[in-house]
Amino acid sequence: MKTRLLFLLTLSVVCTLAFGQKKFSKITAADFATPKEAADSSVDAVRIYDIGETRFNATSTGFTLDTYVKVRIHILTEKGREYANREIVYRCNDKKPTSENDAVKGVEACSYNLVDGKVVKTAMEGKYEFKEKVNDYYYRLKFTIPEVKVGSIIEYKYEVSSPRCTEIPTWMIQHKEPVRYSYYCITIPEWFYYHVEGHGYAPIRHKQSSATLTVPTKSGAAIIMANKYVIEAENLRPFEKENLIYGQDDYAQRMDFELMNVRIPGQSYQSFTKSWKEVRYYLEEKADYLLHLKIKNPYADEMASLGLDGKTASQKASILFAFLKKKLKWDGKYALVSKNPLKAIKEGKGSNADLNFIYMAMLRDAGVTATPLLLRWRSHGRLPITYASIDKLDTFIVAFTDDNGALLFADTSADYGDINILPANLMAEGVLYNPDIAAKSSAAPTRGEIYDLSQIRGNTTTTRLNSILSPDGKINGQRINNHVGFNSLIYKENYHEVADSMALVEKIEKELGCKLGSFKVKNVEGVGRAVEERMRFTKDAVVDGDRIYFNPLVFPDEKKNWFTKPERVLPVEFPACQTTTITSVVTIPEGYELEEMPKNQIVKLEGYLAGVISFEMQDRNLITKYQNLMESTFIPAEKYDDLRKYWSDLLKVNSMMVGVKKK
């Protein structure tokens, strides 16, 4: 969405800010000494400084936004040589005039090496710089810094000039390598009001002060007030990629600027602050949502034979979901808007937006009121709660209310999906296009108008094991697994990733540490239905003289410790709320008895996780009942110590051994 700012005066704003308050001298031999960061073998480079400045400059038609960047990096390892290959992604549409596109200028780069005790500088020549088209909206400028070796120091700088002064670029303070010094300054004319928001966990210095800018005019010059922002940080740890986290970049240390309004003298007030109501209006008027939500159902005649009469809204939605998936293919693209949903009928495939509009037309004819849920991919982080922005949205899925008032969701991109069965990246945060649909719903937004789909319930795995322990230490038995909801989707995806049935059996045998006598799966094809998995197996127990030791669960639910690090900066996000239930019956041999009856146990992380295991002996049958309940997908960082203890206790429960001995 592009807005041009027009005003009557011819302006030329000059920002006199210098690069950084901390001065850096020319590189000397002393700078090549092995840095302290090299003690960490995982560190491939050190960002000595990262300096940026954004200036508002004026033209006859409006402001331009010019951002200057200068970086110095010390290369520490062979892998670190990759830092010599840099790229700058910028907006550029070949169909637009040059004045409406970004421009990258002033690219300079060089390497420094210590040769025979002297500093040798090698400047980058033009042949090492080239640009390539990313898509219709973006280009990428690439350059390679020459003569980069282990121990080299590289420097580069560039400028990006943009006609969109409504979009101050995010300043990334934290990077995947350590940052010794980060500095960014921007002076914003008083006519522009921005929401300035910091993200991340590391401490930074953020100073706001008043400043003045000289604005030349046709009749002379004018002095206008401005707000100067200075952001400074030192000795930042690397932003590490953690396991069990979505949208990692959302947690990196950075500063964001969101334009709220513009008040240029002599012009009308322009508000850029968006409410979700305004976003909905934009989609309705500019993205044809109003039109697409009224399209004719292309499958109206065929739906008559689907037996929808007398069915609940959720049953109808599930039947129509399966029907549509047989008719149309998803083309692998997610979209927020659709040019023409019905074009997918001719081509036999379309984006999720195309298919979802058709799906809503089918629901409408079936008497089910549905609306888009405007969504931000989970991998992109959370939706902002302080302001609404269409730029934060990636796609939409379908929301509708069941007969019982439950707010339910579906997306036609999911090959193994169904109602409330979504891919993990779509179990994200969203806002209803038509909030009236939830007026009588028992579901409530989690933050403002935002719904968090990661909290969808009903994802279960239920296991029943019946096995016999023989005196030679063999456990022979049958295991039946039933996977429902998100668990069924994940099972189907994993099942179809394996090349053939033989490879699948080998994979299961390796994972479970057993030999399979038979293996069958039901409902593993297509959408919706719960998966049933049956297997007969043989597994070894531990024989020690006249004693035999075995795990009463036979196959533990959890075996891996995900939380070995002593501390963690980021929160933990599990894929989905889910419940695992295992009932295991092990018949012990005649003439044997339990050495000691195992104790019932409960482990809890209150409000988040709970694990329960109990035991009962009936004749020669040891009956073990186990449940692992994940009540919330999001565990805040301050709960990490508690999470580590919980997981350690849960693993002990799962690895428990029971002994039997001859009488």
Side-chain angles (χ1 to χ4, degrees), residues 304-323:
S305 63
L306 296 179
L308 299 178
D309 292 343
K311 297 288 194 301
T312 65
S314 61
Q315 289 171 334
K316 292 176 181 178
S318 183
I319 293 170
L320 293 175
F321 186 95
F323 175 83

Side-chain angles (χ1 to χ4, degrees), residues 280-515:
R280 293 176 185 116
Y281 179 78
Y282 176 85
L283 292 171
E284 178 180 306
E285 296 296 323
K286 304 296 184 183
D288 292 329
Y289 267 43
L290 187 62
L291 177 66
H292 295 338
L293 287 170
K294 294 180 179 179
I295 61 171
K296 184 179 179 181
N297 173 14
Y299 301 115
D301 294 338
E302 294 175 75
M303 279 173 50
S305 63
L306 296 179
L308 299 178
D309 292 343
K311 297 288 194 301
T312 65
S314 61
Q315 289 171 334
K316 292 176 181 178
S318 183
I319 293 170
L320 293 175
F321 186 95
F323 175 83
L324 182 62
K325 292 298 291 182
K326 291 179 180 179
K327 289 289 185 178
L328 297 176
K329 298 293 183 183
W330 175 50
D331 65 6
K333 298 177 182 178
Y334 287 104
L336 180 63
V337 299
S338 170
K339 292 183 179 179
N340 180 8
L342 295 178
K343 187 178 179 181
I345 304 296
K346 296 180 180 178
E347 298 183 354
K349 62 181 181 180
S351 70
N352 77 315
D354 297 331
L355 272 56
N356 283 341
F357 277 122
I358 294 171
Y359 181 48
M360 286 186 287
M362 297 167 68
L363 289 171
R364 181 190 65 219
D365 280 7
V368 179
T369 302
T371 191
L373 182 85
L374 313 173
L375 203 71
R376 178 174 172 84
W377 282 329
R378 201 171 179 184
S379 59
H380 284 176
R382 294 189 156 202
L383 283 171
I385 194 170
T386 54
Y387 60 91
S389 173
I390 197 170
D391 294 330
K392 299 295 184 181
L393 298 173
D394 294 302
T395 186
F396 75 86
I397 64 173
V398 177
F400 68 94
T401 305
D402 194 7
D403 299 354
N404 298 320
L407 193 61
L408 304 177
F409 308 94
D411 187 80
T412 50
S413 70
D415 289 336
Y416 307 115
D418 200 346
I419 310 309
N420 271 12
I421 303 178
L422 302 166
N425 207 25
L426 296 184
M427 295 175 68
E429 291 192 330
V431 174
L432 290 171
Y433 173 73
N434 176 13
D436 294 339
I437 196 175
K440 298 181 180 180
S441 172
S442 57
T446 53
R447 298 188 303 127
E449 296 185 58
I450 299 170
Y451 289 83
D452 183 359
L453 303 193
S454 73
Q455 301 304 311
I456 288 175
R457 299 301 198 264
N459 311 304
T460 64
T461 294
T462 304
T463 301
R464 174 80 184 186
L465 286 119
N466 288 281
S467 54
I468 299 173
L469 175 65
S470 61
D472 63 355
K474 299 291 184 183
I475 302 175
N476 293 281
Q478 182 185 52
R479 185 174 87 157
I480 303 173
N481 282 340
N482 284 280
H483 304 282
V484 178
F486 178 75
N487 295 22
S488 70
L489 180 146
I490 294 299
Y491 185 94
K492 291 176 181 180
E493 288 181 343
N494 292 337
Y495 178 92
H496 289 285
E497 283 179 358
V498 181
D500 52 48
S501 58
M502 184 175 295
L504 179 63
V505 168
E506 290 176 355
K507 178 183 177 184
I508 294 172
E509 289 180 336
K510 183 178 180 180
E511 289 177 352
L512 299 181
C514 69
K515 287 292 181 181

Side-chain angles (χ1 to χ4, degrees), residues 145-334:
I145 304 172
E147 295 298 320
V148 175
K149 310 166 186 177
V150 175
S152 297
I153 295 174
I154 62 174
E155 275 188 337
Y156 59 90
K157 63 181 180 179
Y158 60 89
E159 172 191 347
V160 178
S161 181
S162 172
R164 290 178 301 279
C165 58
T166 59
E167 300 175 16
I168 296 177
T170 293
W171 179 251
M172 296 303 299
I173 302 169
Q174 203 172 16
H175 295 267
K176 65 179 180 179
E177 64 277 357
V179 178
R180 289 189 190 164
Y181 183 70
S182 177
Y183 180 90
Y184 178 73
C185 74
I186 180 172
T187 298
I188 303 174
E190 65 175 348
W191 301 333
F192 297 82
Y193 294 80
Y194 281 87
H195 172 74
V196 182
E197 187 173 26
H199 297 264
Y201 293 88
I204 61 171
R205 294 185 291 276
H206 173 207
K207 183 180 179 181
Q208 179 181 355
S209 59
S210 296
T212 59
L213 294 175
T214 301
V215 183
T217 68
K218 291 181 178 180
S219 58
I223 303 296
I224 66 170
M225 297 300 296
N227 291 307
K228 175 182 175 182
Y229 295 89
V230 174
I231 299 152
E232 194 174 26
E234 293 186 88
N235 300 319
L236 293 157
R237 64 194 293 176
F239 182 66
E240 302 177 34
K241 295 294 185 181
E242 296 274 13
N243 64 327
L244 293 173
I245 188 75
Y246 292 89
Q248 299 218 28
D249 291 344
D250 207 40
Y251 297 96
Q253 202 78 27
R254 69 185 194 278
M255 295 299 293
D256 288 334
F257 301 83
E258 185 80 14
L259 184 61
M260 298 172 67
N261 57 71
V262 177
R263 302 175 182 178
I264 298 176
Q267 295 188 35
S268 60
Y269 168 85
Q270 297 182 68
S271 174
F272 291 84
T273 303
K274 292 288 185 291
S275 65
W276 289 116
K277 182 178 180 180
E278 290 173 291
V279 170
R280 293 176 185 116
Y281 179 78
Y282 176 85
L283 292 171
E284 178 180 306
E285 296 296 323
K286 304 296 184 183
D288 292 329
Y289 267 43
L290 187 62
L291 177 66
H292 295 338
L293 287 170
K294 294 180 179 179
I295 61 171
K296 184 179 179 181
N297 173 14
Y299 301 115
D301 294 338
E302 294 175 75
M303 279 173 50
S305 63
L306 296 179
L308 299 178
D309 292 343
K311 297 288 194 301
T312 65
S314 61
Q315 289 171 334
K316 292 176 181 178
S318 183
I319 293 170
L320 293 175
F321 186 95
F323 175 83
L324 182 62
K325 292 298 291 182
K326 291 179 180 179
K327 289 289 185 178
L328 297 176
K329 298 293 183 183
W330 175 50
D331 65 6
K333 298 177 182 178
Y334 287 104

